[in-house]
Amino acid sequence: ASNFTGTLTLACLGIGPSTLTSNARTLSGTALTFSAAGGSWALADALLTTGRITLTQGTFSAATFNVTCAGFAANGGAAPTLTRGTGTWTITGNDSGGSVWTVTSDVRMTAAQADTIKLTDATTNAKTFAGGGLVYNNLWLTGAGEGHFNITGSNTFSNFKADTPPHTIVFTNGTTTTVASFTVTGSAGNLFTLQSDVAGKVWNIARVSPFTQISSDYLSLRDSVAT
């Protein structure tokens, strides 16, 4: 027998909520696409695939379960609904042809999320988080490799965290990243570099609450405006 390594498209055709049970199995090399107008899927346990997950139509809910995949995209112009849930989304891939997290501004994400999105690739390749200018809970940038983390869009985070210096985090010029908490601190000889994607073009960082103090050390900053 051989392993299936293609794209598996789940289309429930709007017949009602469908549950997805993995039963502790890993889908090796399988890309999952959820696509059906009016369709609805909810996890019944943790979902782990070494491929990418794409949501183009319908509603996907991670509920309380963890999701592990090479990359995630929610787009397609059909305004799909994403419920990230309360678990951890571990994104293991690198860009190599596409962002590891791509959510467009027309995606409807339910409020009051308590999840963590964790980028873990340890290669020298870039990892791009394209958030669509939406609101997120925790974003965690980790992995021992030296590949840049690219943040595009004016997104809002409850906590923006990076914990493996030295790393470079690149923000798109002209955007504003809004945070309630900012946990990015390097160490002597191992700085975090925060910079614009275009030298001399400003990127902005702002606090959700103007009365909350944020303290970070051992940073190399370029073209940043903090408010």
Side-chain angles (χ1 to χ4, degrees), residues 29-85:
T30 302
L32 291 177
T33 296
F34 296 89
S35 181
S40 178
W41 303 268
L43 295 186
D45 60 4
L47 175 60
L48 196 160
T49 177
T50 59
R52 293 178 61 87
I53 297 175
T54 302
L55 172 65
T56 60
Q57 294 186 83
T59 298
F60 177 82
S61 172
T64 60
F65 302 104
N66 296 333
V67 177
T68 301
C69 58
F72 177 81
N75 50 43
T81 298
L82 173 63
T83 300
R84 300 189 314 274

Side-chain angles (χ1 to χ4, degrees), residues 195-209:
Q195 66 183 48
S196 170
D197 63 333
V198 178
K201 298 288 187 179
V202 167
W203 64 278
N204 305 282
I205 186 166
R207 293 173 294 180
V208 171
S209 170

Side-chain angles (χ1 to χ4, degrees), residues 52 93-100 102 125-128:
R52 293 178 61 87
N94 54 64
D95 280 6
S96 61
S99 300
V100 295
T102 304
N125 294 333
K127 279 74 67 172
T128 298

